[in-house]
Amino acid sequence: MSTMSIRKTFLPFALPSISEEAIEEVANTLRSGWVTSGPKVKQFESLFADFVNSKEAISLNSATAGLHLCLEAIGLSENDAVITTAVTFTATVEVIGYFKAQPLLTDIDPITNLMTIETIQSLVEKECKVTHGNLIHKKTNKVVKAIIPVHLAGHTCDMEGIIEFAKKYNMYVIEDAAHAFPAIHKGKMIGTWGDFTVFSFYATKGITTGEGGMVTTENHKMAERLRRTRLHGINREVYLRPGWYYEVTDLGFKYNMTDVAAALGVVQLKEANYFWNRRTEIARTYRRELQTIPGLKLPVEDENGAHSWHLYRMEVDPNIARVNREKLVLELHKRNIGTSLHFIPIFEHSYYKNTYNYFKEDYLNSAFMYERILSIPLFAGMTNEDVKDVINAIKDIV
Ligand SMILES: Cc1ncc(COP(=O)(O)O)c(C=O)c1O
């Protein structure tokens, strides 16, 4: 029997790192009298565009809003379909549903858990046909208009392959980069590969603004559209409006980021490289210390660039390890260590199953992953002691 050591305080699987400088910046914004979208939003967008080397950056109150506005900007309709992955957060797929368009889900690669050209091809061969150069979903007769690759956990998808595939069939590429800030793919930062890239600044992400999101694009016209649709379709931004006149030129939404959030973002952005390096260091320590434990399959480095290490997802093989995933969760919890699961596959959720009739049998790798996957704590603010506690607890249990 092992002697179980228990942490004094609970270690959650993720926590934001908020510096005193960030608190001061937010306080200054609160004191300034301008708390909604204004100068801080402008500054944050400009710094963010510089960071990822994009021409345009449009801030929003969430990544979900960003995905929604991108699909709106490409004119998605109920006659269309969109390809994405079965292993993602509901936000990626729900936005397709907003337009009554058909989400087509690929299975995943067993190692990276990403959509790949192979998983896309296998979906297309089974469910689509080519008509006039477009992909058509056979069952619904809808035109596949876009593809949303998801850089799950911060491991980048094969962007060259996906963009080439999309070009061949007249599809837009909208990257779900909620997990991929910052990340590098083939020497270029995530943010300039697809037609649009959508980032999240939710509390647990690479940087946070509490809630928030950013779309980057190289397309000036699309950027202008997003700037209007994020705020009621109004053609002039409040902050820059000298007089009372404005015009509503589009059906818009209320998706703008506040200066309070952007003030936090401006400082988080300065600290982003430090956070990234620290997460990378912790991920490498986990690999060094856990790789010899039988029955644990650890996440791999991104061979095409630099992983953001937003999450540390590992698989527990119940046939080899001393415990299964459920037991490991419970035992870690007893030792005051939090875990999470990324993700319950889309086809497992009752809403999606009932609405689109997905069959688990079409997603064998995703279903296999779902039985075994577990996310252990990984965030920049973890101390070396925290990291050691997680490693020792896993060694003790598994
Ligand atoms: C893969 C993925 N896409 C999109 C989102 C949505 O991000 P937000 O909460 O900023 O809308 C999330 C949020 O966790 C996510 O994990």
Side-chain angles (χ1 to χ4, degrees):
M1 255 325 254
S2 60
T3 48
M4 186 166 100
S5 69
I6 300 177
R7 282 174 55 89
K8 286 201 183 66
T9 56
F10 184 72
L11 178 71
F13 97 93
L15 264 187
S17 300
I18 312 286
S19 64
E20 285 308 313
E21 186 186 343
I23 292 169
E24 190 57 27
E25 188 76 33
V26 171
N28 286 340
T29 295
L30 290 172
R31 289 187 201 104
S32 76
W34 198 289
V35 291
T36 184
S37 309
K40 277 291 151 194
V41 159
K42 289 266 163 245
Q43 187 189 0
F44 183 41
E45 288 176 340
S46 156
L47 292 171
F48 194 89
D50 287 348
F51 199 109
V52 301
N53 292 316
S54 71
K55 286 213 178 90
E56 304 277 358
I58 302 100
S59 64
L60 301 149
N61 58 12
S62 72
T64 309
L67 291 165
H68 182 189
L69 293 191
C70 292
L71 292 178
E72 196 277 340
I74 65 165
L76 195 75
S77 81
E78 60 186 337
N79 301 320
D80 300 322
V82 177
I83 294 176
T84 190
T85 165
V87 178
T88 185
F89 185 56
T90 181
T92 321
V93 188
E94 77 187 13
V95 290
I96 302 166
Y98 292 174
F99 297 86
K100 299 202 172 1
Q102 179 78 20
L104 305 177
L105 308 179
T106 71
D107 199 5
I108 54 167
D109 176 81
I111 306 291
T112 61
N113 290 184
L114 298 174
M115 138 199 305
T116 63
I117 284 300
E118 289 74 29
T119 68
I120 297 168
Q121 292 290 6
S122 128
L123 165 82
V124 165
E125 273 161 32
K126 233 184 317 181
E127 300 201 25
C128 300
K129 62 180 181 188
V130 182
T131 308
H132 305 308
N134 291 319
L135 274 186
I136 310 291
H137 182 229
K138 286 188 281 193
K139 204 155 54 177
T140 60
N141 229 14
K142 297 188 182 202
V143 184
V144 185
K145 188 153 189 170
I147 183 160
I148 309 182
V150 178
H151 305 298
L152 184 71
H155 193 132
T156 62
C157 295
D158 169 12
M159 290 316 299
E160 279 170 338
I162 290 170
I163 288 168
E164 192 188 318
F165 172 86
K167 277 214 177 103
K168 188 168 163 195
Y169 298 112
N170 307 312
M171 290 156 53
Y172 288 95
V173 178
I174 300 166
E175 290 168 72
D176 182 336
H179 298 185
F181 182 77
I184 297 173
H185 183 76
K186 298 196 172 149
K188 221 163 74 147
M189 293 220 66
I190 290 297
T192 52
W193 281 93
D195 295 295
F196 304 91
T197 311
V198 184
F199 297 92
S200 170
F201 308 129
Y202 176 69
T204 60
K205 298 297 196 287
I207 62 168
T208 186
T209 56
E211 298 278 0
M214 189 79 80
V215 175
T216 57
T217 178
E218 301 303 283
N219 185 324
H220 180 66
K221 259 191 113 145
M222 286 290 194
E224 285 302 302
R225 181 173 184 85
L226 261 56
R227 287 199 180 95
R228 292 194 303 274
T229 51
R230 74 173 164 185
L231 193 62
H232 303 301
I234 290 172
N235 68 347
R236 293 174 76 179
E237 294 182 68
V238 180
Y239 174 59
L240 299 171
R241 208 162 59 214
W244 53 264
Y245 186 75
Y246 63 85
E247 189 181 339
V248 176
T249 55
D250 302 271
L251 180 67
F253 303 87
K254 176 69 177 172
Y255 284 165
N256 56 310
M257 177 179 275
T258 67
D259 262 25
V260 180
L264 178 52
V266 164
V267 180
Q268 288 266 305
L269 202 51
K270 274 206 253 175
E271 297 164 340
N273 277 326
Y274 164 74
F275 295 157
W276 189 19
N277 287 336
R278 177 64 183 149
R279 290 195 308 271
T280 304
E281 183 179 52
I282 296 168
R284 289 183 181 158
T285 307
Y286 278 155
R287 168 156 285 277
R288 209 173 47 242
E289 294 292 326
L290 300 175
Q291 64 187 347
T292 53
I293 299 182
L296 287 191
K297 191 168 109 192
L298 304 179
V300 293
E301 291 276 347
D302 188 340
E303 59 181 17
N304 286 316
H307 204 300
S308 78
W309 291 112
H310 164 53
L311 298 171
Y312 201 88
R313 301 165 67 255
M314 61 184 199
E315 284 182 22
V316 186
D317 184 342
N319 303 314
I320 301 175
R322 214 167 60 198
V323 294
N324 63 16
R325 191 254 319 270
E326 269 55 59
K327 179 89 173 148
L328 178 56
V329 170
L330 284 176
E331 289 295 323
L332 284 171
H333 202 264
K334 273 191 208 161
R335 290 161 174 80
N336 254 338
I337 294 169
T339 56
S340 190
L341 191 150
H342 301 88
F343 287 101
I344 303 168
I346 294 298
F347 55 81
E348 288 282 347
H349 293 294
S350 57
Y351 172 75
Y352 290 113
K353 215 170 1 192
N354 298 337
T355 308
Y356 301 109
N357 277 319
Y358 296 127
F359 291 108
K360 198 172 171 165
E361 294 67 30
D362 290 330
Y363 307 101
L364 292 178
N365 291 341
S366 305
F368 184 89
M369 174 285 308
Y370 179 41
E371 299 283 308
R372 291 151 194 247
I373 203 76
L374 183 68
S375 300
I376 59 173
L378 177 59
F379 54 93
M382 283 177 81
T383 64
N384 290 339
E385 278 307 305
D386 293 335
V387 178
K388 242 190 252 163
D389 285 346
V390 177
I391 291 165
N392 289 339
I394 293 175
K395 282 184 175 168
D396 183 37
I397 302 160
V398 182

